[in-house]
Amino acid sequence: TGRILGAEFDGTEDSGLIAAKTIAAFERFVYDTLGLRRLEPEDIALENADAIAAEIIQEPLAALCPRAVSHQDAMALLKVVCAV
């Protein structure tokens, strides 16, 4: 996945460095290439969480996940990340 996003690897990386390079490449793609903005905790209100979770599972970049993201997964993520 990291190479698809433009990350470069030389074969000496441990799993932590692979993850860090992949995350950096993903963030460059999402924020710089696509021009999306980072979702901040204050952007999420309890009354909007269900609708946001529905959008998360339809997100085109979700296809990069190793497994399908369910509505329940998205709600759990919002609760942890945004204290919804």
Side-chain angles (χ1 to χ4, degrees):
T1 302
R3 286 187 178 144
I4 292 170
L5 297 170
E8 294 184 15
F9 304 99
D10 61 21
T12 63
E13 297 87 356
D14 64 12
S15 60
L17 187 53
I18 290 169
K21 287 183 173 186
T22 301
I23 290 167
F26 175 79
E27 289 180 343
R28 279 191 306 275
F29 176 72
V30 170
Y31 303 124
D32 300 339
T33 304
L34 296 180
L36 300 177
R37 70 177 185 84
R38 185 177 301 275
L39 186 64
E40 300 294 340
E42 58 270 12
D43 294 330
I44 307 294
L46 183 57
E47 59 272 9
N48 299 332
D50 193 59
I52 292 168
E55 289 182 30
I56 289 171
I57 63 174
Q58 298 300 319
E59 168 60 46
L61 294 175
L64 298 175
C65 292
R67 68 175 179 87
V69 177
S70 71
H71 187 84
Q72 184 177 5
D73 295 331
M75 286 296 291
L77 177 66
L78 290 172
K79 286 179 182 176
V80 170
V81 172
C82 301
V84 171

